[in-house]
Amino acid sequence: MLASFDVTNSILQTERLVLRPFQQSDLEDLYEYASVDGVGECAGWKHHESIDESRSVLHLFMREKKTFAIVRKEDGKVIGSLGLEALSLDPVEGEHYGREIGYVLGKPYWGKGLATEAVQAVISHCFETLLYDYLTVCHSIENDRSRRVIEKNGFSYVRNVTYKSQKGTVEDTKLYLLVNPKK
């Protein structure tokens, strides 16, 4: 079952990052990472072709209140996003509550452990504060970087699934599950 979530009053901090709600002043940073070819495509969406496209996405993030801006502590730059989405597939039967994690980082920040750090912070928040029963996550079969982040965060492989991406393609993906160990 879909757990409720609202990013409005949530600010999470890690050693190097702050995860917080998006705000109007994030537009240029969002466009900077989202307009790079290959960034969105790894997450199932087409890279942004204009600042107006990024503005629309920013307004969506702010309206839906389910996506964190991933911000570098050292300078306040937004380098990615992490959302708690409605479940595309619910691998847990019964009265259990969860959401699906989706994340993206700008290319200059790949391979530095930042996605793993951001996902760890959200897992802790969802399990310890929001008391979710589980989280799911998917990655395209070709996306080894996401697979490593997912495995480092303790998710277990469930099965391969097909997924209709936001860019209109049908993608072969892998579905993973993480159950709250305190439940």
Side-chain angles (χ1 to χ4, degrees):
M1 295 177 65
L2 183 63
S4 63
F5 182 72
D6 185 337
V7 72
T8 304
N9 296 312
S10 299
I11 297 178
L12 311 179
Q13 296 199 41
T14 70
E15 181 182 332
R16 300 177 289 174
L17 303 170
V18 174
L19 283 79
R20 59 154 173 82
F22 270 91
Q23 49 200 26
Q24 283 296 137
S25 59
D26 296 331
L27 178 60
E28 293 291 331
D29 289 347
L30 171 61
Y31 179 67
E32 183 178 328
Y33 77 78
S35 64
V36 174
D37 186 29
V39 171
E41 286 78 4
C42 285
W45 45 270
K46 192 174 178 319
H47 64 276
H48 296 184
E49 295 183 355
S50 71
I51 194 132
D52 287 333
E53 187 174 356
S54 292
R55 183 177 291 109
S56 293
V57 170
L58 177 64
H59 290 154
L60 178 73
F61 287 167
M62 293 169 61
R63 183 175 61 252
E64 290 187 344
K65 302 176 185 176
K66 64 180 181 180
T67 304
F68 287 103
I70 302 174
V71 181
R72 279 193 318 209
K73 268 187 179 177
E74 67 186 57
D75 60 5
K77 182 174 189 59
V78 176
I79 61 170
S81 61
L82 192 155
L84 286 161
E85 304 294 331
L87 298 164
S88 58
L89 294 163
D90 192 346
V92 179
E93 294 182 20
E95 295 294 316
H96 302 284
Y97 297 94
R99 281 204 169 239
E100 181 176 322
I101 292 180
Y103 54 88
V104 65
L105 278 180
K107 273 189 182 178
Y109 309 101
W110 291 359
K112 300 179 185 319
L114 294 167
T116 300
E117 193 173 314
V119 170
Q120 284 172 351
V122 170
I123 290 169
S124 293
H125 180 65
C126 288
F127 286 173
E128 296 169 16
T129 304
L130 302 177
L131 304 176
Y132 286 9
D133 297 307
Y134 66 95
L135 292 166
T136 66
V137 66
C138 291
H139 72 82
S140 70
I141 289 177
E142 300 85 29
N143 191 341
D144 277 335
R145 285 181 300 277
S146 277
R147 179 190 52 77
R148 287 193 301 273
V149 169
I150 290 164
E151 290 172 351
K152 286 178 187 175
N153 279 293
F155 285 83
S156 298
Y157 171 77
V158 176
R159 66 181 176 271
N160 285 10
V161 296
T162 56
Y163 164 78
K164 185 168 183 185
S165 73
Q166 292 176 353
K167 56 186 181 176
T169 59
V170 176
E171 306 282 335
D172 290 324
T173 62
K174 293 183 178 262
L175 172 67
Y176 295 78
L177 172 68
L178 183 64
V179 176
N180 187 339
K182 297 179 181 172
K183 292 249 176 170

